[in-house]
C-alpha cells in the first residue's frame, strides 16, 4: 500500500496507473475509509451533484430562468453517456461532470462580454482540471481542454477578451501543472 491493488485485473499499480483515482482528494474522502460499494455510490453522487450545480450555474449566468436551469441540470445528470460509463464501472469518466462548472468558472475568469474577468475563477478552473487528472480522468482532461480551447477561439474576435485570455490562460496552465504535479511527474 499504496502502490499495489491485487484485486483488479490480477494486480495493478495504483499510484502510477493513469486511470487510478489514487491520490485524488475524493478518493481519500470516500474509498479510503468507506466500504467499496458505499464509496462508489458517494463518488458517483458527488460528481452528479457537481455536474448538476455546474449546469445550473452556467445556465443562470446566461440568463436562464429557474425552469431552464432545472432542465439543464437534469439533462446533464441523466444523459446516457454517464449512465453507460458509470453503469459499466468506468469511474474515470465521472470527471466529465466537472465540465459545466469549468466552463462557468472560465467565463467568469475572462469576463462575460466585457473582458474584465476575475482571476480568482482561474484558480477554480485549474483546480478542477487538477482534480480531474488526480482522479484518473485520462479521457476527460484532454477533451475538456479542447472545450476550453474552442471557447477561447470563439472569443478571439474581441480585443478585451484577448487581453483577458492572455491573463487567464497562462495562470490556469501554471496552476494546473503545480496542482497536478504529484500525478503528472511521479
Amino acid at each position: 500500500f499504496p502502490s499495489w491493488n491485487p484485486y483488479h485485473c490480477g494486480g495493478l499499480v495504483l499510484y502510477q496507473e493513469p486511470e487510478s483515482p489514487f491520490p485524488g482528494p475524493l478518493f481519500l474522502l470516500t474509498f479510503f475509509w468507506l466500504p467499496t460499494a458505499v464509496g462508489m455510490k458517494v463518488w458517483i453522487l458527488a460528481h452528479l451533484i457537481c455536474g448538476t450545480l455546474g449546469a445550473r450555474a452556467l445556465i443562470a449566468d446566461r440568463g436562464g430562468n429557474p425552469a431552464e436551469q432545472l432542465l439543464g441540470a437534469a439533462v446533464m445528470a441523466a444523459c446516457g453517456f454517464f449512465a453507460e460509463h458509470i453503469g459499466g464501472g468506468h469511474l474515470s469518466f465521472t470527471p466529465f461532470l466537472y465540465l459545466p462548472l469549468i466552463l462557468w468558472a472560465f467565463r467568469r475568469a475572462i469576463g462575460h462580454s466585457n473582458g474584465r474577468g476575475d482571476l480568482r475563477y482561474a484558480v477554480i478552473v485549474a483546480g478542477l482540471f487538477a482534480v480531474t487528472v488526480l482522479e484518473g480522468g485520462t479521457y476527460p482532461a484532454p477533451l475538456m481542454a479542447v472545450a476550453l480551447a474552442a471557447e477561447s477561439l470563439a472569443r478571439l474576435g474581441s480585443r478585451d477578451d484577448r487581453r483577458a485570455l492572455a491573463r487567464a490562460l497562462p495562470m490556469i496552465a501554471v496552476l494546473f501543472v503545480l496542482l497536478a504535479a504529484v500525478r503528472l511527474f511521479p
Side-chain angles (χ1 to χ4, degrees):
F1 181 80
S3 299
W4 185 254
N5 178 4
Y7 305 107
H8 183 73
C9 296
L12 182 69
V13 177
L14 281 178
Y15 182 66
Q16 294 174 344
E17 168 64 31
E19 289 189 0
S20 170
F22 184 83
L26 197 54
F27 176 86
L28 298 175
L29 291 172
T30 57
F31 292 104
F32 197 66
W33 59 277
L34 291 172
T36 303
V38 176
M40 286 180 75
K41 290 174 185 174
V42 171
W43 175 280
I44 292 167
L45 183 64
H47 282 86
L48 287 172
I49 289 171
C50 186
T52 56
L53 292 177
R56 186 197 161 282
L58 190 60
I59 293 168
D61 261 6
R62 300 295 292 175
N65 63 36
E68 293 166 339
Q69 295 170 26
L70 182 63
L71 177 64
V75 167
M76 185 67 196
C79 77
F81 175 84
F82 295 115
E84 177 184 358
H85 286 287
I86 292 170
H90 299 146
L91 293 183
S92 62
F93 283 86
T94 54
F96 270 122
L97 287 160
Y98 295 145
L99 182 59
L101 194 56
I102 287 173
L103 281 175
W104 172 78
F106 183 69
R107 288 178 179 175
R108 290 274 177 133
I110 61 174
H112 293 288
S113 60
N114 57 13
R116 292 185 302 259
D118 187 352
L119 288 180
R120 292 178 293 181
Y121 290 98
V123 176
I124 295 172
V125 174
L128 287 171
F129 265 106
V131 168
T132 297
V133 170
L134 291 173
E135 289 181 354
T138 55
Y139 295 106
L143 291 174
M144 290 189 303
V146 168
L148 279 190
E151 178 78 18
S152 299
L153 285 174
R155 294 183 174 266
L156 288 178
S158 166
R159 188 181 66 163
D160 291 336
D161 286 347
R162 284 193 303 268
R163 188 176 308 124
L165 285 169
R167 289 183 329 177
L169 288 175
M171 183 176 178
I172 291 169
V174 168
L175 283 175
F176 163 70
V177 170
L178 290 174
L179 292 171
V182 68
R183 190 61 179 261
L184 295 174
F185 309 109

